[in-house]
Amino acid sequence: MSLKIGVPSKGRLMEKTFDWFGARGVTMGRSGSDREYAGAVEGVDGVELVLLSAGEIPRELSAGRIHLGVTGSDLVRDKLADWSAQVAEVAALGFGHADLIIAVPTAWIDVDTVDDLDAAAAAFRAEYGFRLRIATKYHRLVRDYLTAQGVADYQLVDSQGATEGTVKNLTAEAIADITSSGETLRANHLKILSDGPIHASQATLFAARGAEWDAATRATLAELAKQLGVKAEV
Ligand SMILES: Nc1ncnc2c1ncn2[C@@H]1O[C@H](COP(=O)(O)OP(=O)(O)OP(=O)(O)O)[C@@H](O)[C@H]1O
Ligand SMILES: O=P(O)(O)OC[C@H]1O[C@H](OP(=O)(O)OP(=O)(O)O)[C@H](O)[C@@H]1O
């Protein structure tokens, strides 16, 4: 059986993933045209490339349909319950850095921390009769974080894109989203709570604990890990 490795098929992580492996002597590329989601790996025998959306890689790892996968550490933590029981972190790849943060309108001069947000949420509910809305696609990470911080008087509203626009559009009062340059937040008159990020994400190589690891795939993993200069234990 060959070892299946899932890598992002497009978007901001794809090229840098190819570069990271290429710099270590493992060449990845699409096998056909730009539109074909099949790929080839050269440099280590027995590795099969599977091109997938970054957002789907956590689920494919969890199901054991791929042995290894590259995606953002934020996506694995958010999409998988008890993620570390399902996947092992093999290597942080040093690119795709982005912080998952909570942001509120710049005009909220009394709100700078999560504690302030907690107070504002209570006041909001008293005044408007419904819970303050936080727009996000990171439901698990945000919920776990706010629970740990003792914040309960809020509701999450789902936003799968253009999340910073929800405040202006009056569908949320605050947002929780990924930021890297901060440009999108600034452009939408939002400021980050000062407590630090919920999660500092980067592209990471994961191994699926539940994939079928037979003697052949284990041998391929050992060879690949040696070539990449990483330690891989599943
Ligand atoms: N502005 C940004 N700068 C750097 N990294 C980012 C930024 N926004 C998101 N990311 C990271 O990129 C990863 C997601 O990549 P991308 O947006 O290309 O995938 P996706 O939205 O899942 O794409 P797809 O539509 O293929 O599923 C996440 O891990 C996220 O942390
Ligand atoms: O801090 P910045 O450098 O401005 O980047 C942050 C933006 O990048 C991501 O959006 P993406 O480009 O993936 O689009 P999306 O809104 O469709 O998620 C993220 O959701 C932010 O909106």
Side-chain angles (χ1 to χ4, degrees), residues 12 137-138 160-164 177-185:
R12 45 174 68 86
K137 65 176 163 200
Y138 291 91
Q160 291 295 324
T163 305
E164 295 85 351
D177 197 14
I178 281 289
T179 180
S180 57
S181 71
E183 286 299 324
T184 312
L185 291 170

Side-chain angles (χ1 to χ4, degrees), residues 59-119:
R59 189 185 64 204
E60 295 304 294
L61 285 164
S62 162
R65 284 190 285 268
I66 50 178
H67 296 86
L68 298 175
V70 173
T71 191
S73 56
D74 54 342
L75 297 176
V76 159
R77 281 161 179 75
D78 197 67
K79 290 187 188 272
L80 303 184
D82 196 9
W83 67 273
S84 58
Q86 304 195 55
V87 298
E89 254 172 357
V90 175
L93 305 189
F95 59 85
H97 289 281
D99 287 346
L100 176 61
I101 54 82
I102 297 177
V104 299
T106 318
W108 289 15
I109 51 170
D110 294 336
V111 181
D112 282 316
T113 65
V114 175
D115 277 350
D116 298 338
L117 181 69
D118 193 25

